[in-house]
Amino acid sequence: MKKIIFSREQFFFFPLLGIYLIIITVFSSNELVGDEMRHMHYANNLVQGYYTSAENPEIGNGPGYPIFITPFVLLDFPLILIKLLNSLLLLGAVLFFFKTLRLYISLQKSLILAYILGLYPPFIKYSVLLLSEPLVLFLICGFIYNVIKLYKSKHINYTNLFLAIIFLGLATLTKVIFGYVLLFCLIVYLIHFIWTKSKESKLAVLTLTGALVICSPFLFYTYSLTGKLFYWGTQGGSILYHRSTPFPNEVGNWMDKTLIYNTEDTEHFGLNTFGKNHKAFLDSISLLTPVKQDSLYKQKAIANIKKHPLKYLENTISSGARLFFNYPYSYTPQKTTSLVYIIPNTLLLTLLLLTLYLIYHNLKSVPFEIYFLGLLSIIFMGGLTLLDGRVRHLSPAIPILLFIIIVIINKFISLKIKKSD
C-alpha cells in the first residue's frame, strides 16, 4: 500500500490528473441533477445524524458515496471542490490498475494500458457529476490489486487479504447490487472449497465473507427500519417493475414516475402513452410508504413476468444492449452522445470474445484469480441485465474486464516479427 502512495511511477500520471482537473473545472455545474440530488440528500441527512427517516424509510442507494462526501458537506465545501475529489479518485483507480498490470507486463505496456483505462470516455463524462462511479472505480481497482497480490503470494498475506476485504466491502456499500453478487459467489466458492479443500477457494470464501461482514452494520440498520432481512434498498421493486413491462412500445428501462404528469418533458416523446400504460397502478400505490411500494412493485413485476415471459426476454435483450451501448430506451430518441459508449464498448466486447476463446482452449492454464474476478464480473453484469442494464452501471466491471483481457492475451498470444534475410 505504501508503494502505491509514494511510488515514483505515480508522476507518470500527473498529466492525467491535469486532464481530470481541467475537465471538471470547466464542465461541472453548480446545479444538482438526477442522482446527484439523492446523494446530496443522504449526505445532508448524515450531517444531521441519520441516513433516512425511521418513521418512513426510503433507501434509494447504498451509503458508501454519501458517507464519503459527508465530511465535505459538513464543512460546507463548495460543490465544485467536492466534485474535484473525483479527479483524485480516478487517479487512484488508475494507479492501482497500473500497479496490478506491473505484476504481469512491462512498464511501458502498463503505462499505456493504464492511460487507456483512465481516458475511457464514460469515466470522463461521469467525472463532472456528483455520482458514485469514481469512488466505486477506485475501490474496485484497489480490490483487484490486493486480491491479485494475495493470490500471487506463496503464503497467505493477511495485509492483502484485509485490504481486499475492505475495498470489496466498501464497493458493495457504494453499489449495493454487489451484495447479491457476493452472496452468489460465496455459495459457489463455499461448495468448491468443501469439494476441493483448495487454498484458492478458501481465500475466495474468506474475502467474500469478510466483505459481507463489512456490510453487516448497514444490513442490521435496514432490518431495524423495515423488518426485512438482507434488505439493501427500496428502489429494487420499481426497477424490476419497469423491466417487466408488458407493453409493446416499451423496452424495460426504468422511468421516473413524475413523467406521467410532466408530459411536456423535452427529453422524451410519447409520454401520454406512458401515462396511459402506468398511471392507474402508480396512482394506486402513491400514498403508501416506500417499503410497501417496493413490495407491491415486486409483486406486480413477478405477475408481469409470469404472464408475459417472452416480453420479459425481449426486454432482457434490450437491457443487455443498454448495458454496453446505451440503447434502446423507451420514449427516448437515440442520441449521438451514445457513440461515447458504442465505439469503446464494441472494441471491448470484441476483445472479450477473443479472451473467452483463449480461456476455453486453455482452461487448466488460466490462474484461479482470473476465474474469481471473472465470476464476480459475470454475475454482476448478469444481475444488471436482469434488473436495470444501463451503460453507467457497467462502470465497476470495466477495470475487471480490461484486466482479464490484458492478462489472458498477454499469456496466450505472442507476436513475433520475423526479420527478412
Side-chain angles (χ1 to χ4, degrees), residues 66-81:
I67 290 174
F68 174 74
I69 64 174
T70 291
F72 308 101
V73 174
L74 177 63
L75 295 172
D76 202 25
F77 273 43
L79 185 58
I80 182 62
L81 291 183

Side-chain angles (χ1 to χ4, degrees), residues 185-193 201 204-205 368 371-372 375:
C185 292
L186 177 58
I187 293 170
V188 170
Y189 283 112
L190 190 57
I191 294 172
H192 187 265
F193 174 68
S201 57
V205 169
F368 180 90
Y371 287 123
F372 180 44
L375 182 64

